[in-house]
Amino acid sequence: MSLADSDRELVVSELGREPTRAEAALFENLWSEHCAYRSSRPLLSAFDSEGEQVVVGPGDDAAVVALPSPDTDGDRAGGRADDETYITMGIESHNHPSYVDPFDGAATGVGGIVRDTLSMGAYPIALADSLYFGEFDDEHSKYLFEGVVEGISHYGNCIGVPTVAGSVDFHSDYEGNPLVNVACVGLTNEERLVTAEAQEPGNKLVLVGNGTGRDGLGGASFASEDLAEDAETEDRPAVQVGDPYAEKLLIEANEVLVDEDLIESARDLGAAGLGGASSEMVAKADLGAHIELERVHQREPNMNALEILLAESQERMCYEVEPDNVDRVREIAERFDLGCSVIGEVTDGNYVCTFDGESVVDVDAYFLGEGAPMNDLSTEDPAEPETDLPDVDLEDAFETVVSSPNTASKRWVYRQYDHEVGVRTSVGPGDDAAIIAVREAEQGLALSSGGAPNWTDVAPYEGARAVALENATNIAAKGATPLAAVDCLNGGNPEKPDVYGGFTGIVDGLAEMCETLSTPVVGGNVSLYNDSVAGPIPPTPTLAMVGSKDGYDAPPLAVEPAGDLLLVGDLGLETGSPRLGGSEYLARFDGSDAFPELPTDPAAVVETLAAVANDDATLAVHDVSHGGLAVALAEMVTEDAGLEVAIPSDQPAGALFHEQPGRALVQTESPESVREAFDGVAPVVELGSATDDGRLTVDAGRTLTADAAEIRDRRGTIERELE
């Protein structure tokens, strides 16, 4: 990739001369889709990013949100307290690198989002990863899947940050371009808060961390192109190589630097390396910098100015430091065996880089960071799916859907992650949402992260609305109230009108539902040009959402041996027959249909479900989503507790397998109180009761039965295939 002719003309007009080689490369990377969001920024104003709890919104390395304060009775009062605890939220994609080198591509995605957390003065406390691959029975997809999971687990486990939530989806359209989206939550407070905006001319710019090498050169521009057929070999130099042990030292050193109030501003070295981080810091404040590139500590010999400027070597941070504090910063870096270079200072002029006394970059920082023109692209609305329902034996359908890789247990994945390190994990992976104990605020933080490519492929707008509602329902099922979200918006080549139409749909749908739920979208990431010789990916919004609750306990997903089972929501009969569009059932049996209608008042459903989940009479709660009611029922059965349920519908396949979001199964000792709570909010259907025999029995016109061992075997598809 090189600087486009139209962009070069703008640069020449601004500079009054031809750009140097280093300047041209810097503009190429910082004006790429990956950095400048040239195709997506015009759409992002749809998101509501403000709210009483929002401290720092979009535009920084990570967002900052204040946890709501409980009142004296222990109930969540909302609002801001005098002694506030802040959380940070960020999400990042490492899609192209993970195709070229799945282990290092995924690992460095974890490292990058953790350093985004550090740059806000926060300590990372939880990770969530949402992964998307081609069909599970494809050998290359399995190779990518195994490599990505190994990379995430290796890096996260080594740095001691628990991976507590996430999702895994398989879809044929990811075979040429997998997606790796990683979110991180950090912990800080008002006194420790740092931002990426430079503060004062005369302050020093200090580079701390690993030495700079030649890995990751051109990573930002690489991420802004379609993947070529030979990408796995030709683009390997654009993939960074991670060192989690250096990252762990950087985490702890950053903590000391923040504790001692030595940092004025900070930025992680990610896309476009030193050039990207340092120019963006000063551009935010409409300032400049003078950087002497030869001062950068390096791990490879004879590096030239362009390599030093743009290499995306990992485990590096750029700090703004007052001159009197530089020696102390260097002492702390040395204590943690980290490299440290004073590379320049903040100025009130241009962004200037020299190399051995020769100027190689001299540009206005704001123009460099914000001057890229936005793209005006045409769109095509997606076609409405036709109704073409398969005729499948109910028992065969049940076994196929329950054992599908998309709905099967992901235990093979999350058992490789250390999800208990840090002793904050109250509810770990495998549940609807994780719960992290924030003892500093005496609150539990619920975290849900994921998308639904089957949904957004069929109906981008409605599917994205459903993704937001699904994550909120996951959080409510644990008794928490949604607080804020970050998104990773993944799409194909936006220059194709049908692709851009689908991408526009997921942006608008996600924004609309999050606003309806009063859940501000406080930050995110956009990844376009996820296109390959195999074609574009489905429009894929990943949403990482957090919610808060008093205390750290939550109702389990699994049922107890006694109690009534209710379905909050309906069986899909409001339109005459359940809509199966986007369901795993149709994906497995090659059918098509319209997407289900969503609840008329989703905010009330989520609020009421959270209250019911916290009721003393509630024994278990489980969100109904991928795979529909059939999979949700199977997931609730254990060796010690079973379920006997009846499906009051003359269309059992539709009732069992449609995937309308905003529904939940509630096991309770007081069915009447659940009905009263949802009166006027959502229908409540009595399905049956729990047993002590560890068997699922479903009367759906014909009787379906399976004991816990059979269900476990059916849901063990991934584990069985990979071991």
Side-chain angles (χ1 to χ4, degrees), residues 527-545:
S527 176
L528 294 175
Y529 292 94
N530 292 291
D531 223 322
S532 69
V533 292
I537 64 162
T540 309
T542 295
L543 195 70
M545 183 181 289

Side-chain angles (χ1 to χ4, degrees), residues 594-617:
F595 192 74
E597 291 188 0
L598 274 61
T600 55
D601 191 351
V605 171
V606 169
E607 182 181 1
T608 307
L609 181 61
V612 167
N614 287 321
D615 189 87
D616 290 341

Side-chain angles (χ1 to χ4, degrees), residues 65 69 153 211 234 256-257 287 331 381 432 435 437 460 516 521 568 579 614:
V65 179
S69 58
S153 64
E234 293 300 312
V256 176
L257 293 170
L287 293 171
E331 288 174 6
D381 292 333
D432 288 334
I435 300 285
T516 297
V521 179
V568 174
R579 292 182 175 181
N614 287 321

